[in-house]
């Protein structure tokens, strides 16, 4: 039994997301509903909420996209406003009036935006938030201890959205997707005049997950993820990053993963020594084409063009959707018949 009433969940990209121990989804009534084990996000003192619970929305705005971090979440409305709720310890809600914990939608400050500029997509990391706008700019706020905001004059934290001053995008490039994770952020950019889908990342390069040669190094500005020689001509259209690995869907539908090996990359690399793969090198096993990919702390899942779900990596708590050991080989998740 849920609290949805007559509403139903929306089957659209960006309408559902999970972070930490919480899931949130947008329903047909334009509100966001959350469930799981994080009271800061659920507006409830209970440790666990076992059914979708509406987040207070005093604005009445219809929400169209949601992103969930470790202890906070944000959403974008159909009019281009951004709202956040949850933990505000590091300024990750982007709101001047917010206290440490907020149980209802708080408007993200917009004084840094140009007239007519609105938010398009929001991405929540562990303790920071980034958002793209209608003018192909990226604003970030919250914790900057690992340069995950890519704003050099913010030493620690800020609750004011700050624009990333980067030459790799702007009014002549299109930001097609944004993602944030623990201590890092990534964006897919469609550059013009020649259409090239490229990933740029910034923040802490744990295990080489940001596509840079020096694992653990901090990238203070957005840098292009450069594929290895095996994937020299590959372009990407979707990206997902987490604690120590990243996966992306290429234009041909194949998924590439890089970062910490440990069964997380969807294939094995017998000819490459060491524990990290710092660049997109080879696609995951199976030869399938995918529409999207989502990366967890130690596992990943992809949705194929045949609307099938495959997962790989660590299988603690059955996170791969099947019984069995940890595996680098994508395993199909079989849904019960209805």
């Amino acid at each position: 039994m849920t609290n949805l009433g007559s509403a139903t969940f929306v089957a659209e990209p960006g309408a559902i997301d999970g972070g930490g121990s919480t899931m949130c989804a947008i329903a047909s009534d334009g509100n966001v509903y959350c469930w799981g084990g994080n009271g800061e996000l659920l507006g409830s003192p209970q440790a666990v909420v076992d059914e979708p619970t509406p987040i207070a929305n005093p604005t009445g705005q219809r929400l169209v996209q949601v992103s969930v971090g470790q202890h906070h979440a944000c959403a974008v409305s159909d009019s281009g406003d951004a709202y956040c709720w949850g933990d505000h310890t590091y300024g990750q809600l982007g709101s001047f009036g917010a206290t440490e914990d907020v149980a209802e939608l708080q408007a993200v400050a917009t004084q840094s935006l140009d007239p007519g500029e609105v938010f398009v997509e929001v991405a929540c990391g562990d303790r920071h938030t980034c958002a793209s706008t209608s003018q192909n700019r990226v604003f970030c706020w919250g914790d900057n201890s690992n340069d995950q905001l890519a704003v050099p004059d913010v030493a620690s934290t800020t609750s004011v959205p700050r624009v990333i001053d980067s030459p790799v995008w702007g009014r002549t490039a299109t930001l097609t997707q944004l993602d944030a994770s623990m201590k890092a952020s990534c964006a897919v950019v469609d550059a013009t005049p020649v259409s090239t889908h490229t990933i740029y990342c910034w923040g802490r390069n744990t295990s080489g997950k940001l596509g840079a040669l020096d694992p653990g190094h901090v990238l203070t500005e957005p840098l292009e993820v450069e594929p290895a020689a095996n994937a020299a001509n590959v372009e990407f259209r979707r990206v997902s990053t987490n604690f120590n690995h990243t996966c992306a869907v290429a234009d041909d539908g194949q998924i590439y993963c890089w970062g910490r090996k440990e069964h997380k990359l969807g294939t094995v690399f017998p000819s490459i020594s060491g524990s990290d793969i710092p660049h997109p090198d080879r696609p995951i096993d199976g030869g399938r084409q995918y529409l999207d990919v989502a990366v967890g702390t130690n596992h990943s899942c992809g949705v194929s063009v045949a609307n099938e779900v495959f997962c790989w990596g660590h299988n603690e708590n059955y996170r791969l959707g099947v019984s069995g050991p940890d595996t680098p080989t994508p395993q199909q998740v079989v849904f019960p018949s209805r």
Side-chain angles (χ1 to χ4, degrees):
M1 185 68 180
T2 70
N3 295 322
L4 281 173
S6 60
T8 58
F9 285 124
V10 176
E12 295 290 342
I16 187 170
D17 194 36
S21 57
T22 305
M23 293 293 298
C24 294
I26 294 172
S28 57
D29 61 4
N31 290 307
V32 63
Y33 293 74
C34 299
W35 62 97
N38 191 334
E40 292 169 311
L41 289 179
L42 300 166
S44 170
Q46 296 174 251
V48 176
V49 174
D50 62 1
E51 62 180 27
T53 301
I55 303 301
N57 181 6
T59 70
Q61 292 261 17
R62 291 188 62 85
L63 305 175
V64 294
Q65 185 253 329
V66 64
S67 179
V68 183
Q70 187 71 17
H71 297 287
H72 77 294
C74 298
V76 176
S77 73
D78 58 2
S79 61
D81 295 312
Y83 300 91
C84 297
W85 68 98
D87 179 29
H88 193 49
T89 303
Y90 300 90
Q92 61 263 53
L93 302 189
S95 174
F96 294 130
T99 56
E100 186 169 318
D101 294 320
V102 179
E104 64 180 28
L105 270 62
Q106 297 285 311
V108 173
T110 59
Q111 77 272 21
S112 300
L113 274 62
D114 289 343
E117 185 176 17
V118 297
F119 292 110
V120 173
E121 182 181 15
V122 67
C124 293
D126 184 25
R127 301 186 301 201
H128 77 289
T129 308
C130 292
S132 60
T133 74
S134 56
Q135 294 187 4
N136 291 312
R137 299 199 292 173
V138 175
F139 289 80
C140 296
W141 57 93
D143 180 24
N144 197 38
S145 59
N146 289 273
D147 286 298
Q148 57 264 58
L149 307 186
V151 180
D153 62 340
V154 175
S156 55
T157 66
T158 179
S159 61
V160 179
R162 300 290 300 274
V163 67
I164 296 179
D165 184 16
S166 174
V168 301
W169 58 62
R171 313 304 164 93
T172 60
T174 301
L175 282 155
T176 60
Q177 192 230 335
L178 195 62
D179 193 59
S181 69
M182 296 180 69
K183 305 176 182 179
S185 308
C186 293
V188 179
V189 178
D190 184 3
T192 55
V194 179
S195 180
T196 56
H197 299 97
T198 307
I199 298 172
Y200 289 85
C201 296
W202 58 97
R204 174 68 64 178
N205 187 35
T206 306
S207 299
K209 70 175 182 178
L210 303 186
L213 279 174
D214 185 8
H217 182 69
V218 172
L219 307 184
T220 60
E221 62 181 357
L223 292 181
E224 181 180 349
V225 173
E226 296 187 5
N230 293 339
N233 297 316
V234 174
E235 296 182 12
F236 298 100
R237 50 186 167 84
R238 299 288 298 176
V239 64
S240 180
T241 183
N242 207 296
F243 175 60
N244 58 14
H245 76 293
T246 299
C247 294
V249 182
D251 280 352
D252 65 1
Q254 296 195 84
I255 290 177
Y256 290 75
C257 299
W258 59 97
R260 178 71 65 173
K261 288 181 182 177
E262 294 181 348
H263 307 299
K264 304 174 187 179
L265 306 187
T267 187
V268 295
F269 297 86
S271 62
I272 300 178
S273 61
S275 59
D276 301 322
I277 304 294
H279 297 287
D281 187 276
R282 55 183 292 184
I284 66 173
D285 294 340
R288 301 176 188 87
Q289 291 183 310
Y290 290 85
L291 298 170
D292 205 355
V293 64
V295 171
T297 302
N298 291 302
H299 73 296
S300 304
C301 296
V303 179
S304 75
V305 295
N307 290 320
E308 297 170 325
V309 175
F310 292 84
C311 299
W312 58 95
H314 289 199
N315 199 27
E316 181 184 7
N317 298 323
Y318 300 99
R319 65 186 68 182
L320 302 187
V322 297
S323 61
D326 302 345
T327 177
T329 303
Q331 305 292 306
Q332 184 174 0
V333 179
V334 179
F335 293 88
S337 58
R338 300 180 62 181

